[in-house]
Amino acid sequence: MDYFIGIDIGTTSTKAVAFSSTGVVLAKQSSGYPILHPQENQSEQNPQEILKAVIQCLTGIAKQLPHDVAVLISFSAAMHSLILMDVNDQPLTNCIIWADNRAGELAVALKQTPQGEKYYHSTGVPIHAMSPLCKMFWFKKNEPLFFSKCSKFIGIKEFVFHRLFGKYIVDTAIASATGLLNSTELQWEADILADLGIEKNHLSTIVPCPHIEYLRTEIQSNTAEQLKAFKETAFVVGSSDGALANLGSGATAAGSMAVTIGTSSAARVVTSQPITDKSMRTFCYHLNGEQYILGGASSNGAIVIQWLKEQLLKDKTAYDEFINLATNVAAGSDKLLLLPYILGERAPLWNPDARGVYFSLDIKHTTAHLVRAAMESVVYNVYSIGKILMEKSPVTTIYANGGFTESPLWVQMLADTFNLPVNVIAVEECSALGAVMVGMQALALPYTMEIAVGKTYLPDQSNHQIYQRQCAKMERLYELVKAEF
């Protein structure tokens, strides 16, 4: 039987999912890796470990389906990563990920200038420490030796592709999140490159999302040997994780919004053209073809719950059991509120200095209150992003994906806060499914996959009123304390 692999290179793990031609999940494989924090405000990963995880996931799928044929492997990947490569194609740095805030002060200063505003409206990428653009300016200023030695500035997907195919290529979706790509022309922006003092040959060759490559057995012989099961398989470059989550969840039509809560969180809608925001609050990245995603990404999703469980409370119970503590507390957490910005914040604040605050604690509050307030705070922050998007495009239905969908309570919070129905897709890994959809387009295969809704959550009006008050309080609280950060 033929099967189709979507592989998603994420922040904490790489996941591969094999689908049948009708969208049935046939096999899954995942491999995790740590985030390194060598200094304050720095978040990095070892690119070799991520490459190893990609290979492990693919070989794992091949072992699970030994008698079947992989028609294609299509890629999804997290955005905003940066690796400096030398002339011998070896990394000068680790993979610096979206959560890295070393360029925070630089980004804040740049955002206030006409130059920063010009960059944003040209590329659709907010001026923030997350963007490769700001990271590159930081290296030019603070690590000029590394900057001068750099032969290529790439992201993690490009690193993997180079090791597999022996060439530096980048899809328009990942490129559009660098802050270096003109969002209308989908080409490297000459003025920005000139300001950085680099040439186009310092960057990867731009290819469309359905671009196809095949393994080259004459290079990276060890890698080729490990992936020998895929020597005839088409490798499709694919798109970005956020863009593909919209595609794979079915949230591409007018009136639909995709909400993802995994390690981080995001809200996104699909448009037919690049759209920027006068106040520079939202991003606009390429998805595929004539589709773009308009949205905002928060640095703080389920990582907040993980921090609360592992770091603050030192809780040893299972994750599901810990989350379920929140069922013992009513909506609004008895007025307990959390500012969830433990990693600084991207949308909607764009403030790398923002930090977490538990507010209104009193003697009646328990561990369960802390848990529920944390879960609610993540949803409130997504809602603050969603409100901006709904100013530009009315939304009638939310399509939810990400690890939080395993908690019915958490999804219900989302429905109640937005006062909109929320569809949870039956396939958990929507980005992987979206990647396969792009792959089938690349091979001109007839599309027969169905995006099945697993469950629909309807809003509770009484809870909605409570959450509206808490959301407004959260916004006021941030304004009162932001100068203290």
Side-chain angles (χ1 to χ4, degrees):
M1 180 175 65
D2 290 347
Y3 65 92
F4 310 82
I5 297 177
I7 185 162
D8 182 21
I9 305 171
T11 302
T12 56
S13 66
T14 290
K15 301 175 183 177
V17 185
F19 297 92
S20 72
S21 60
T22 57
V24 175
V25 174
L26 303 175
K28 294 182 181 181
Q29 190 75 29
S30 66
S31 181
Y33 29 78
I35 299 175
L36 309 174
H37 303 284
Q39 295 185 41
E40 185 178 3
N41 290 324
Q42 295 187 2
S43 297
E44 305 177 351
Q45 291 176 317
N46 184 332
Q48 298 289 355
E49 291 185 357
I50 297 176
L51 173 65
K52 181 180 177 181
V54 169
I55 294 171
Q56 287 176 340
C57 286
L58 292 177
T59 56
I61 293 290
K63 289 177 181 177
Q64 292 181 58
L65 302 170
H67 305 298
D68 300 315
V69 177
V71 176
L72 63 86
I73 298 168
S74 187
F75 285 79
S76 163
M79 295 174 278
H80 311 304
S81 60
L82 177 69
I83 307 168
L84 276 61
M85 303 290 289
D86 69 16
V87 293
N88 298 313
D89 298 321
Q90 297 303 311
L92 290 164
T93 67
N94 275 328
C95 178
I96 303 165
I97 66 172
W98 57 266
D100 190 280
N101 279 322
R102 73 186 70 190
E105 290 185 11
L106 183 153
V108 169
L110 180 60
K111 185 178 180 180
Q112 310 305 317
T113 67
Q115 182 186 32
E117 186 174 357
K118 178 183 176 183
Y119 290 165
Y120 167 72
H121 289 294
S122 172
T123 68
V125 181
I127 305 302
H128 185 268
M130 68 175 183
S131 78
L133 168 69
C134 291
K135 295 178 178 111
M136 290 167 68
F137 272 122
W138 185 91
F139 271 99
K140 183 177 182 180
K141 177 181 179 181
N142 296 282
E143 298 283 357
L145 185 59
F146 273 123
F147 193 87
S148 64
K149 286 184 176 181
C150 183
S151 176
K152 291 285 185 182
F153 298 91
I154 65 171
I156 189 58
K157 197 202 284 193
E158 294 150 86
F159 180 85
V160 171
F161 288 167
H162 183 268
R163 294 308 193 246
L164 295 182
F165 313 124
K167 58 180 72 172
Y168 289 108
I169 55 175
V170 61
D171 56 88
T172 51
I174 291 292
S176 73
T178 62
L180 306 171
L181 191 83
N182 183 290
S183 60
T184 302
E185 299 174 0
L186 297 180
Q187 295 295 325
W188 299 124
E189 179 61 71
D191 289 347
I192 296 177
L193 269 57
D195 291 343
L196 280 167
I198 65 172
E199 305 289 340
K200 288 183 180 180
N201 60 14
H202 285 99
L203 303 173
S204 296
T205 300
I206 300 168
V207 297
C209 297
H211 179 82
I212 298 171
E213 291 285 342
Y214 291 89
L215 289 175
R216 291 171 56 188
T217 56
E218 71 273 18
I219 62 164
Q220 296 292 325
S221 58
N222 184 49
T223 298
E225 176 63 23
Q226 292 180 77
L227 297 178
K228 61 184 179 181
F230 305 108
K231 62 182 180 181
E232 304 295 334
T233 301
F235 284 71
V236 180
V237 174
S239 186
S240 67
D241 56 354
L244 292 172
N246 271 69
L247 189 61
S249 65
T252 57
S256 62
M257 175 190 292
V259 168
T260 303
I261 301 179
T263 305
S264 57
S265 56
R268 303 171 303 273
V269 296
V270 173
T271 72
S272 60
Q273 60 186 359
I275 299 173
T276 55
D277 179 60
K278 183 178 180 181
S279 301
M280 299 192 287
R281 298 171 296 176
T282 57
F283 63 66
C284 189
Y285 305 143
H286 191 234
L287 192 169
N288 182 33
E290 296 182 356
Q291 292 178 311
Y292 292 78
I293 52 168
L294 172 66
S298 163
S299 298
N300 301 283
I303 190 81
V304 177
I305 312 304
Q306 182 182 354
W307 159 80
L308 177 64
K309 180 181 185 298
E310 298 177 5
Q311 300 298 322
L312 192 62
L313 299 178
K314 307 292 185 183
D315 189 279
K316 303 297 183 182
T317 61
Y319 186 82
D320 290 347
E321 185 178 343
F322 183 74
I323 285 284
N324 285 338
L325 289 172
T327 60
N328 299 317
V329 178
S333 303
D334 290 329
K335 299 184 179 180
L336 181 62
L337 186 66
L338 173 65
L339 297 186
Y341 314 125
I342 61 171
L343 284 174
E345 191 51 284
R346 292 180 286 170
L349 308 180
W350 302 108
N351 183 0
D353 295 322
R355 291 296 181 265
V357 176
Y358 265 113
F359 177 75
S360 200
L361 276 166
D362 69 34
I363 200 167
K364 72 173 180 291
H365 289 138
T366 65
T367 297
H369 286 88
L370 296 177
V371 175
R372 180 157 191 141
M375 295 168 67
E376 289 176 345
S377 74
V378 171
V379 173
Y380 298 159
N381 205 51
V382 171
Y383 177 69
S384 67
I385 299 168
K387 283 196 303 180
I388 299 170
L389 303 183
M390 290 187 289
E391 291 172 5
K392 304 176 186 299
S393 179
V395 173
T396 57
T397 307
I398 294 173
Y399 293 80
N401 59 84
F404 92 114
T405 59
E406 296 178 10
S407 167
L409 175 62
W410 214 349
V411 181
Q412 188 63 54
M413 288 178 188
L414 183 70
D416 295 347
T417 302
F418 275 82
N419 198 32
L420 289 171
V422 175
N423 291 335
V424 174
I425 307 307
V427 175
E428 181 182 340
E429 302 300 338
C430 291
S431 293
L433 178 58
V436 167
M437 293 168 70
V438 172
M440 297 184 81
Q441 174 195 346
L443 295 178
L445 297 174
Y447 185 73
T448 56
M449 293 183 175
E450 293 185 3
I451 301 173
V453 174
K455 184 176 180 180
T456 298
Y457 293 76
L458 300 177
D460 180 293
Q461 290 296 321
S462 59
N463 285 349
H464 175 66
Q465 297 303 319
I466 294 169
Y467 291 149
Q468 286 293 293
R469 291 193 292 270
Q470 288 290 87
C471 285
K473 184 193 296 184
M474 180 174 168
E475 292 177 1
R476 294 194 302 270
L477 178 60
Y478 170 74
E479 290 298 323
L480 288 168
V481 303
K482 69 178 181 180
E484 302 301 325
F485 294 135

